[in-house]
Amino acid sequence: MQIIKDKKITEDHWQFVADDQDIPQTGDITVSVSRWLNDKDSFARREGQTGLRIRSTDALEDIAGDLAGMPLVELDIAMFGDGRSFSQAWLLRNRYHYRGEIRAVGNYLIDQIFYLHRTGVDAFQLDESRKPEAALAALNDFSVAYQPSVN
């Protein structure tokens, strides 16, 4: 699968592991916040990096102490009309000073990429319905903005 990261189209080497799946002992994975909180110590013993997939209903306060060493946070956007992921990205960058990769995954629109990027998202997972070139171009949809950007 391809992603846009740092305004470039690249291949994705991360794998999301659902709560009911076994954790692979190697490779870079993301897990849900609840799985992270329940099994945090076990992830330190595996080979590969571990990141988080945050739903819009997850409380960032619960994982704030773990963010410094986290290489990837995925914002799982369940519905394109739910703006909480925009707020989560902004909070991660500004309140929690997270400097790792923030990636949008799930049900977002190409038209939202510009705004997600301004709130702190620096990577976008692309499925078969999203053309990489169109998604990349969306980062430059506007040349003027009224609000400051975190990037």
Side-chain angles (χ1 to χ4, degrees):
M1 183 177 295
Q2 290 186 316
I3 62 169
I4 292 177
K5 182 177 177 181
D6 300 324
K7 296 187 175 185
K8 295 178 184 146
I9 299 169
T10 187
E11 294 299 317
D12 184 13
H13 67 274
W14 288 83
Q15 172 191 356
F16 174 68
V17 180
D19 290 348
D20 61 350
Q21 293 178 311
D22 291 334
I23 297 291
Q25 291 306 305
T26 61
D28 296 337
I29 62 168
T30 58
V31 296
S32 70
V33 168
S34 61
R35 190 165 200 178
W36 172 258
L37 293 173
N38 290 331
D39 300 329
K40 190 185 316 188
D41 295 332
S42 67
F43 294 112
R45 294 187 295 273
R46 54 180 303 281
E47 292 182 35
Q49 301 179 92
T50 303
L52 289 176
R53 180 169 285 194
I54 298 174
R55 295 181 322 231
S56 60
T57 55
D58 289 327
L60 296 179
E61 299 83 22
D62 294 344
I63 49 117
D66 300 321
L67 289 172
M70 195 69 54
L72 171 64
V73 171
E74 294 178 327
L75 299 178
D76 187 9
I77 302 170
M79 293 179 24
F80 65 85
D82 183 352
R84 290 178 285 184
S85 293
F86 291 84
S87 298
Q88 286 174 322
W90 189 92
L91 288 168
L92 284 166
R93 294 287 189 221
N94 291 289
R95 180 178 293 168
Y96 299 108
H97 308 289
Y98 178 69
R99 296 298 167 241
E101 178 182 333
I102 299 177
R103 182 182 299 180
V105 302
N107 190 16
Y108 63 90
L109 301 174
I110 293 286
D111 294 349
Q112 294 174 310
I113 288 177
F114 177 83
Y115 301 106
L116 284 163
H117 184 257
R118 289 184 58 79
T119 61
V121 175
D122 54 2
F124 301 87
Q125 186 180 73
L126 304 172
D127 61 20
E128 58 278 347
S129 70
R130 297 182 184 109
K131 298 193 182 315
E133 295 77 18
L136 190 58
L139 288 167
N140 299 311
D141 271 353
F142 303 101
S143 60
V144 176
Y146 294 108
Q147 295 85 15
S149 172
V150 299
N151 293 320

